[in-house]
Amino acid sequence: ICKLGRLKKLYVNSNYLNFVGIPAGIGKLGELEVFSASDNRLETLPEGLCRCGKLKKLLLNKNRLYALPEAIHFLQLQELDVSDNPNFIYNKHACERSYCAQKTSQAT
């Protein structure tokens, strides 16, 4: 997957993925705009995802996330969905831009 440098959308929903299932080199996908990994078993994400500078939509609902990478705030996300992650701890610093925070679905 990491060799698909022009890939714009990646949907890996409902695949029982955990952290090992997402390669650390995902940051090489410089054109990636949409990453959807809903309904998996993710507890965390590789820091490399934060190097996908064109990423606008990050859908991570229905996982086991407990946090996002600290560098996530460098992305200019238009949509971030972390709903239905029972152990998720919302970190205001991780998504400090107001337009991102307004569109963020927070797990309660």
Side-chain angles (χ1 to χ4, degrees):
I1 288 178
C2 299
K3 294 182 180 183
L4 302 172
R6 294 192 295 181
L7 186 70
K8 291 187 181 220
K9 297 178 181 180
L10 179 58
Y11 295 89
V12 292
N13 303 321
S14 304
N15 281 296
Y16 300 104
L17 292 178
N18 57 21
F19 180 77
V20 178
I22 299 176
I26 196 166
K28 295 178 183 177
L29 301 177
E31 299 296 315
L32 193 65
E33 296 174 0
V34 177
F35 180 66
S36 181
S38 299
D39 197 20
N40 281 293
R41 296 179 178 174
L42 297 171
E43 294 180 1
T44 187
L45 298 170
E47 192 76 26
L49 186 64
C50 300
R51 289 192 303 272
C52 296
K54 293 187 178 181
L55 195 63
K56 300 291 181 209
K57 195 175 205 179
L58 183 56
L59 306 174
L60 302 166
N61 57 308
K62 296 183 183 176
N63 275 287
R64 299 175 181 172
L65 289 175
Y66 56 86
L68 295 172
E70 283 294 319
I72 200 88
H73 70 278
F74 288 116
L75 296 174
Q76 296 184 12
L77 297 173
Q78 294 173 354
E79 184 175 349
L80 171 62
D81 188 351
V82 293
S83 62
D84 295 322
N85 283 280
N87 299 317
F88 187 74
I89 299 169
Y90 181 72
N91 180 343
K92 187 175 181 178
H93 177 71
C95 193
E96 63 190 7
R97 300 174 194 259
S98 61
Y99 60 85
C100 180
Q102 290 172 358
K103 302 237 179 197
T104 302
S105 299
Q106 298 180 28
T108 54

